Amino acid sequence: MEKKINYYLESLKEIERIKGRKPKLLLHACCGPCLTFPIKFLTQYFDVTVFFNNSNIYPEEEYYRRKDEMIKFLEYFYHDYGIKVKVIETPYDNENYNKPLEKYKDMDEGKERCFMCYEKRMGEAYDYAEKNGFDYFTTVMTISRQKNSQIINDIGKKLSLKHPNTKYFYSDFKKNKGIDYAREMRIQYNLYQQLYCGCKFTYEKLLKKQENQ
């Protein structure tokens, strides 16, 4: 069995290497609750820009609700911490986004379809980071209990080979009580807590589950 890597310790090692400067980091974010602790942690060491490219979210009103909650949180964050974080958003296009994933629609959450979705969004964000001179790229997704940090970091490592000018920042934001801090911040700022990951396929399963209750 392949030994698991402690990506929390890897993140601390990288922070030690950049001490004394604040490199530019592009942070892929999917929603306000998942952004809470990662942005608080990262802005101590990096000049962070948030990248919101989440055409996987369905339906459209859910997409805008999650985006608006994230913007609301960043306004609170600026008020409380004095750090203004820029947000870059790509156009929403759920129909085209889902075309390569449709054949995996019956697959359970946390399987290959999800990994393809992670890589699709992370790859697009990573492309932007390198084209626009960012020193680092990473994603908030390792904060989630429902997502495998080993797999997300493996995807980041794979993508980094195609982006030699922008380094991937390895993370496991849920570790060292990160998940607890994120929950406390979500409650503190009264952020909308979604009931499903966001995609069309898990949304449809949620509706079926609610119908059968």
Side-chain angles (χ1 to χ4, degrees), residues 178-189:
I179 190 70
D180 297 323
Y181 296 136
R183 179 178 54 81
E184 289 168 6
M185 291 176 76
R186 175 179 60 80
I187 294 169
Q188 177 186 354
Y189 295 114

Side-chain angles (χ1 to χ4, degrees), residues 24-29 35 39 43 46-53 67 70-71 73-75 77-78 82-90 128 132-134 140:
K24 289 172 59 182
L25 180 144
L26 188 73
L27 175 63
H28 162 258
L35 182 60
I39 197 76
T43 50
F46 297 95
D47 176 7
V48 179
T49 297
V50 166
F51 196 77
F52 192 80
N53 62 321
K67 187 195 81 168
M70 187 188 77
I71 299 297
F73 163 69
L74 286 174
E75 290 171 355
F77 187 75
Y78 175 56
I83 301 172
K84 188 76 172 175
V85 178
K86 182 181 177 182
V87 176
I88 295 158
E89 180 189 8
T90 61
Y128 183 94
N132 289 275
F134 284 84
V140 302

Side-chain angles (χ1 to χ4, degrees), residues 10-209:
E10 290 300 309
S11 68
L12 297 185
K13 290 176 186 176
E14 192 62 34
I15 285 167
E16 191 63 30
R17 282 191 280 269
I18 64 170
K19 248 182 182 176
R21 55 194 181 93
K22 260 200 167 183
K24 289 172 59 182
L25 180 144
L26 188 73
L27 175 63
H28 162 258
C30 50
C31 63
C34 286
L35 182 60
T36 50
F37 175 70
I39 197 76
K40 184 179 178 183
F41 177 82
L42 290 168
T43 50
Q44 298 175 84
Y45 313 105
F46 297 95
D47 176 7
V48 179
T49 297
V50 166
F51 196 77
F52 192 80
N53 62 321
N54 300 288
S55 285
N56 61 305
I57 299 173
Y58 179 89
E60 187 172 1
E61 54 265 31
E62 180 74 13
Y63 170 87
Y64 286 107
R65 184 173 187 182
R66 294 190 189 196
K67 187 195 81 168
D68 291 346
E69 282 293 289
M70 187 188 77
I71 299 297
K72 181 181 81 171
F73 163 69
L74 286 174
E75 290 171 355
Y76 289 139
F77 187 75
Y78 175 56
H79 177 269
D80 289 349
Y81 296 94
I83 301 172
K84 188 76 172 175
V85 178
K86 182 181 177 182
V87 176
I88 295 158
E89 180 189 8
T90 61
Y92 178 71
D93 186 1
N94 182 259
E95 183 177 352
N96 284 313
Y97 183 91
N98 281 332
K99 283 179 180 177
L101 304 175
E102 192 73 39
K103 59 183 176 181
Y104 304 105
K105 64 185 177 65
D106 296 324
M107 197 173 277
D108 290 338
E109 186 177 354
K111 303 293 184 182
E112 284 77 6
R113 186 191 69 235
C114 295
F115 308 155
M116 290 173 64
C117 182
Y118 305 159
E119 186 167 346
K120 192 173 171 66
R121 288 179 289 149
M122 288 172 66
E124 183 180 306
Y126 215 147
D127 287 346
Y128 183 94
E130 181 150 86
K131 287 175 184 175
N132 289 275
F134 284 84
D135 303 297
Y136 286 85
F137 164 74
T138 196
T139 176
V140 302
M141 290 193 290
T142 62
I143 192 70
S144 173
R145 293 188 193 276
Q146 284 74 42
K147 292 180 174 62
N148 187 318
S149 296
Q150 298 290 314
I151 289 171
I152 290 169
N153 283 294
D154 283 347
I155 292 170
K157 181 178 181 180
K158 174 184 171 184
L159 292 172
S160 72
L161 300 176
K162 303 174 185 177
H163 300 87
N165 299 316
T166 300
K167 197 167 185 179
Y168 180 71
F169 182 78
Y170 293 94
S171 72
D172 196 344
F173 291 118
K174 69 174 71 67
K175 296 293 186 182
N176 199 38
K177 297 187 177 180
I179 190 70
D180 297 323
Y181 296 136
R183 179 178 54 81
E184 289 168 6
M185 291 176 76
R186 175 179 60 80
I187 294 169
Q188 177 186 354
Y189 295 114
N190 192 30
L191 298 178
Y192 161 60
Q193 181 65 37
Q194 52 267 17
L195 299 176
Y196 63 106
C197 83
C199 76
K200 175 182 179 181
F201 314 110
T202 53
Y203 177 70
E204 289 173 347
K205 287 184 178 180
L206 173 69
L207 293 182
K208 287 179 182 178
K209 183 179 177 181

